[in-house]
Amino acid sequence: MSEMLTHRVRGFRLVVLAGVLSCVAVAGGVATWLLLGSDREKGTCARLLADKRVHEALGNGHKTDMDCSQLGESIKKATIGGAPGQHTLQQAQAMKDVLLAVEASLKDADGVLDPALRVPLAESLADYAADSHVILGIGNADYVRNGLSSEPAWEDGSGVHMAVPRTLLLQTIRALSEEPTAYVTLRKATTQYSAEGLAAVQPGTTGAQLTAPPMRNARALGALDAVAADVRRNLSEKKAAQWERDVFEELTVNMPAPAAYGKDPVGHIVDSWRRTLLANGLESSSTTFEEQSADMVDIWGKALRLDSKLRNSLRQDSLNDSYHARSESLREFS
């Protein structure tokens, strides 16, 4: 065979080999897309499935060929207890491990979560409203200490708890809240827990035991206000308006008449505030959200028959605390 012919044959073989490798790469990409589901956006589900912490958290519920929707449902099964807000140490640890893995995946995906994962993960996190309320609110030494990734979930006289750093939780909620339903899920859970904290205060209470619950609520709700503000400012005007409309409509649909405070104090506070949101309307909804903790204080204070001067003082404190929490949280997104 001549030297020229030899070069031609070798060249032809290289072209064929390159074509075969290209086809394999394309096929692999298509297979991965089919494996993970067409609902993936930047591959956070792929990263989570490969994360050892998620594998351990899901246990037998972990399958390498799950799509995002299946992964979300498996996370819910591993983290949500038999009764709302009640968890085993294993479930709480699973929630912590998933959140730590999500943080790592968000860093590699420009802060974006696969759309199909947002609602189920929000539903899991909403069941930990008691923990989130402390982390986003005024915090305490136990949550700071146990928020380290090396520290496990723990149990004390008040139940089972899990903790993660505040910034991690805030960034995760921000990623989830691209989906309005996920944000509503978390806002409802925080509203419910905030109302429970107020309703636990007995008539005649004074001092810090009276003022602390409104402060905690204002800081937790203020952080969620910052999430909403950051979601809107990163959308087009049209999409931001639609996101706001979706949130408003989901929170005001099927509005029951508030029960009497003496019969159902938590329900009275929650449903009375939802009535306030509806009455103020969509155009004022962002302001109504930012004043939620103060409005809930009004509803609660009237039910406890606090004098108007004290109610006004508690309202103003709530507005201030909420504003500062919103401002601090927004700085973390900038």
Side-chain angles (χ1 to χ4, degrees):
M1 184 181 295
S2 69
E3 184 177 349
M4 181 177 295
L5 182 58
T6 300
H7 282 307
R8 287 177 178 175
V9 171
R10 288 175 178 171
F12 175 75
R13 287 174 178 170
L14 288 173
V15 170
V16 171
L17 179 59
V20 170
L21 291 175
S22 177
C23 289
V24 169
V26 171
V30 171
T32 301
W33 183 84
L34 291 172
L35 180 67
L36 296 175
S38 60
D39 55 11
R40 70 187 291 235
E41 187 160 317
K42 291 198 176 184
T44 45
C45 289
R47 292 179 176 88
L48 289 174
L49 282 170
D51 194 298
K52 182 180 179 182
R53 291 167 296 195
V54 173
H55 197 164
E56 292 177 352
L58 302 187
N60 293 333
H62 182 277
K63 301 290 186 295
T64 56
D65 59 348
M66 288 192 293
D67 62 25
C68 284
S69 298
Q70 292 168 330
L71 174 59
E73 290 304 310
S74 188
I75 289 173
K76 286 171 60 177
K77 289 179 182 178
T79 58
I80 296 178
Q86 301 297 313
H87 311 104
T88 65
L89 280 171
Q90 183 178 0
Q91 289 164 341
Q93 185 62 45
M95 186 75 258
K96 176 166 183 167
D97 286 342
V98 167
L99 290 174
L100 292 171
V102 166
E103 179 198 29
S105 73
L106 288 175
K107 289 179 179 177
D108 295 330
D110 298 326
V112 177
L113 273 174
D114 292 273
L117 191 60
R118 293 169 188 164
V119 173
L121 184 54
E123 290 172 346
S124 292
L125 187 55
D127 204 51
Y128 291 80
D131 295 321
S132 297
H133 205 271
V134 178
I135 296 168
L136 295 178
I138 58 178
N140 66 39
D142 286 338
Y143 277 83
V144 172
R145 181 175 61 255
N146 290 299
L148 297 173
S149 60
S150 58
E151 294 299 318
W154 77 100
E155 186 172 12
D156 59 22
S158 62
V160 171
H161 314 278
M162 73 88 199
V164 293
R166 184 181 187 278
T167 298
L168 182 158
L169 181 62
L170 196 60
Q171 294 288 352
T172 300
I173 292 173
R174 169 62 181 82
L176 294 171
S177 297
E178 294 282 341
E179 167 55 51
T181 299
Y183 181 76
V184 168
T185 297
L186 294 167
R187 188 93 194 193
K188 280 183 174 179
T190 302
T191 298
Q192 177 77 14
Y193 190 78
S194 296
E196 290 172 2
L198 294 174
V201 178
Q202 298 300 310
T205 299
T206 60
Q209 290 182 318
L210 181 72
T211 59
M215 182 192 301
R216 289 193 291 264
N217 295 347
R219 291 197 60 81
L221 289 165
L224 293 185
D225 292 335
V227 168
D230 194 63
V231 169
R232 291 194 302 267
R233 74 182 178 184
N234 284 278
L235 295 173
S236 67
E237 184 176 348
K238 182 178 180 180
K239 288 184 177 180
Q242 186 59 54
W243 186 92
E244 195 167 29
R245 178 181 294 277
D246 290 342
V247 169
F248 176 81
E249 290 179 349
E250 287 191 46
L251 276 168
T252 55
V253 70
N254 299 326
M255 187 78 68
Y261 187 84
K263 182 178 180 180
D264 180 8
V266 174
H268 176 85
I269 295 171
V270 171
D271 292 332
S272 295
W273 177 76
R274 289 177 65 205
R275 290 260 172 176
T276 300
L277 177 63
L278 180 63
N280 289 349
L282 173 61
E283 291 185 0
S284 301
S285 61
S286 60
T287 300
T288 305
F289 280 123
E290 290 171 3
E291 295 180 357
Q292 180 179 353
S293 59
D295 288 338
M296 289 174 70
V297 162
D298 279 342
I299 295 164
W300 166 71
K302 290 175 182 176
L304 288 186
R305 300 190 179 184
L306 302 179
D307 66 71
S308 59
K309 183 178 180 180
L310 179 55
R311 287 205 315 272
N312 289 337
S313 176
L314 290 171
R315 177 182 177 83
Q316 190 58 52
D317 287 344
S318 291
L319 288 173
N320 291 338
D321 290 333
S322 180
Y323 170 79
H324 289 302
R326 182 169 68 254
S327 299
E328 290 169 9
S329 299
L330 275 171
R331 283 195 291 272
E332 295 194 46
F333 296 135
S334 59

